[in-house]
Amino acid sequence: MDFLTVELNDFSRQWDSIGESAAAAFRRVGGSGWYVLGSEVAGFEAALARSWPIGHVIGTGTGLDALEIALRCLGVGAGDLVLTTPLSSFASTLAVLRAGAIPVFADVDRCGLLDLALCRKICAQEPRIRCLLVVHLYGCPLDLEALESLKRDFQLNVVEDCAQSIGATWKGRATGTVGQISATSFYPTKNLGSLGDGGAVLTSSSDLADRSRALRDYGRTSKYVHDEIGLNSRLDECQAAILGDALLPRLSEWAGRRRAIASRYRAEIRNRWLELPEIPPQASSNFHLFPVLAPPGERDSFVRFLKARGIMTGCHYPRLIPEQRALVRYCDFQVLTELDQAKRFAENEVSLPVHHFLTDEEVDHVIGCAHRWSPA
Ligand SMILES: *Cc1c(COP(=O)(O)O)cnc(C)c1O
C-alpha cells in the first residue's frame, strides 16, 4: 500500500492517552474553587524545576509573555539592541519589540540556529549590543559552551528561547541554563504541549524569579502594591494541573520515542537529493521538529509527493522575520549580515512528522516515501 495518513501532530491520539488523567485533574481544580495562581501552579512549577533542572520556574499565560517578561527582568527596554535570529517563530522577535527594544539580526548556521561565531564578531564591533536572544530551534541545542563564553567575554545579558527545546541538552547540560533567564512554551504543538496556551520563565536567580512573578501579575509585589508596569499573564490552575498530572510524567517516555524515530530517519532516509542538517555529536536534540532541506526550487514537488501518499509536513519557517510586513512597516530593526543560510531554510526546509504518537508502520511509510522521492 502506498497511502497511509501520517499527521504532523496527533491530538486525538494524545487525548486517548492522557484524557482520563487530564479529566481527573480538571475535575479536581473545578471542585477546589481556586482557579488562578494557586497550589496547582506552584506544584507544577516545582515539578518542572526538578525535572529541567533549574532553580525557579514561573508559569505564564504564553511563551511569548514569558520571553517578554524575561527580557524586561534583565532591564531590556526602549532603544536597546537585542541580537537575535531571523529564523524562528515570530514570537521570538515579537517579545523583543514588546519590550520596546530593537531587534538586530544575524545569519544562522548550517543547522538553522543562530551562528554564534558570527555573533562574536558582531559583538566585538558593536559594543551597543548588550543582549542576546537565542533560540534552540527545532529542539536542537546551540553550543552551550560557546554561548557561555560569548556571554562572559562581552558581559551580555542572554535570554534563551526554549519554547522548542524542553529536554534538549549539550554535553548533558540543559538548554536554558546559560542565560540569566530563559523561557518556554506549553502551546499544544510543543513537546510538553497542554490543552491551551501556557508558558514559563526559567531562571536560577531568585531575584529574577521574584521579579518575573511580579511582572506576570500586574507588576504586583504584594496585595494592592504595584511597583512595575506588569502584564496579566498567569498560567491557570487547570492547565497547570493537566500539565503536572497528565503530561509532564510522560515527557521522558515521549522524548525517547521521538529520539528513536529521528535516529531511524537519519539512518534510513538515504536520498542524495535531501539534506538532513548535521547535528553535532555533543548535542542531544529533543526532535521537536525534524527538518530536511529539499534542493532549490524542489520543495513543492517533495511536499506534494508526500501529501499524495498521506504524509503531512510543515515548514519552519517560510518567511524570515525581518521580511515580515509588521517589521518592515512599523518597527526599527537592523540586519547586520547577509542572511544566506537563513534564506536557504526559508526556501527549502520541510519538517517531517516526528511526533511521539507515530506508529512503526507510519515511520516506515515516511522513510519509504522520503527515500523514493526525486526531483521531476
Ligand atoms: C511557540 C514558540 C514561541 C511562543 O510560544 P507561545 O506559547 O505560542 O506564545 C516562542 N518561540 C518559539 C521558538 C516557539 O516555537
Side-chain angles (χ1 to χ4, degrees):
M1 186 189 66
D2 202 29
F3 190 96
L4 182 65
T5 303
V6 185
E7 304 287 356
L8 197 56
N9 292 290
D10 200 325
F11 298 113
S12 72
R13 281 185 201 164
Q14 170 161 289
W15 184 250
D16 289 344
S17 154
I18 65 142
E20 233 160 87
S21 54
F26 187 75
R27 274 193 299 273
R28 183 177 72 240
V29 174
S32 78
W34 190 282
Y35 304 136
V36 171
L37 291 190
S39 59
E40 299 288 349
V41 169
F44 169 68
E45 288 173 343
L48 184 59
R50 279 193 301 277
S51 83
W52 194 284
I54 190 144
H56 307 274
V57 170
I58 301 94
T60 59
T62 68
L64 168 63
D65 289 346
L67 282 169
E68 178 186 343
I69 290 169
L71 288 160
R72 289 182 53 191
C73 275
L74 293 176
V76 173
D80 291 340
L81 304 182
V82 177
L83 183 54
T84 191
T85 173
L87 183 74
S88 182
S89 159
F90 190 67
S92 308
T93 292
L94 187 52
V96 175
L97 296 169
R98 287 203 350 196
I102 300 170
V104 172
F105 299 98
D107 205 3
V108 300
D109 62 18
R110 293 193 63 82
C111 293
L113 279 68
L114 187 61
D115 186 331
L116 294 181
L118 209 50
C119 291
R120 177 168 281 278
K121 287 189 197 143
I122 290 166
C123 289
Q125 285 161 11
E126 177 50 278
R128 285 185 308 156
I129 294 173
R130 310 293 333 127
C131 182
L132 187 59
L133 187 149
V134 298
V135 182
H136 304 287
L137 196 69
Y138 308 134
C140 183
L142 278 156
D143 177 340
L144 295 184
E145 289 164 319
L147 184 62
E148 176 123 76
S149 62
L150 193 60
K151 174 187 168 206
R152 186 190 53 228
D153 295 349
F154 296 96
Q155 288 160 34
L156 297 174
N157 282 319
V158 173
V159 174
E160 291 177 67
D161 179 343
C162 302
Q164 301 186 358
S165 73
I166 188 165
T169 57
W170 178 270
K171 287 195 184 172
R173 179 175 183 181
T175 61
T177 58
V178 173
Q180 288 87 348
I181 189 162
S182 300
T184 194
S185 164
F186 310 121
Y187 182 76
T189 60
K190 311 297 188 194
N191 289 33
L192 186 66
S194 197
L195 306 185
D197 274 309
V201 174
L202 313 158
T203 182
S204 59
S205 151
S206 49
D207 288 345
L208 293 176
D210 288 346
R211 193 151 178 215
S212 299
R213 286 208 171 79
L215 281 173
R216 75 172 169 185
D217 192 18
Y218 307 149
R220 186 169 81 160
T221 45
S222 61
K223 203 165 188 185
Y224 304 123
V225 177
H226 301 265
D227 292 333
E228 289 197 78
I229 312 294
L231 291 71
N232 175 356
S233 183
R234 304 171 293 221
L235 183 63
D236 69 69
E237 289 282 281
C238 281
Q239 292 301 343
I242 291 168
L243 282 160
D245 281 21
L247 297 160
L248 185 59
R250 294 174 166 88
L251 184 63
S252 73
E253 179 201 328
W254 288 342
R257 179 66 185 150
R258 281 183 190 254
R259 269 197 300 276
I261 295 167
S263 51
R264 282 203 57 199
Y265 285 173
R266 293 205 72 86
E268 296 174 48
I269 299 175
R270 302 213 166 271
N271 181 333
R272 68 188 178 93
W273 300 105
L274 295 176
E275 178 185 335
L276 278 52
E278 202 57 55
I279 296 172
Q282 303 93 326
S284 172
S285 176
N286 70 8
F287 296 102
H288 171 62
L289 294 167
F290 193 93
V292 303
L293 296 168
E298 299 293 341
R299 173 163 63 190
D300 286 353
S301 141
F302 181 49
V303 166
R304 273 200 311 272
F305 180 91
L306 294 178
K307 193 165 183 199
R309 286 152 187 81
I311 300 168
M312 302 301 143
T313 57
C315 176
H316 301 87
Y317 292 87
R319 182 176 295 187
L320 297 183
I321 293 170
E323 292 171 3
Q324 295 288 354
R325 219 171 286 160
L327 268 81
V328 175
R329 278 201 188 151
Y330 301 112
C331 303
D332 270 350
F333 67 96
Q334 298 173 20
V335 177
L336 295 187
T337 68
E338 298 296 326
L339 301 179
D340 295 340
Q341 286 292 342
K343 284 182 184 144
R344 217 165 64 86
F345 278 79
E347 286 162 15
N348 306 324
E349 194 270 348
V350 176
S351 300
L352 299 180
V354 71
H355 67 79
H356 42 260
F357 295 107
L358 290 178
T359 64
D360 288 342
E361 191 190 12
E362 289 165 347
V363 173
D364 291 341
H365 185 56
V366 173
I367 291 169
C369 292
H371 197 73
R372 271 206 318 284
W373 173 78
S374 64

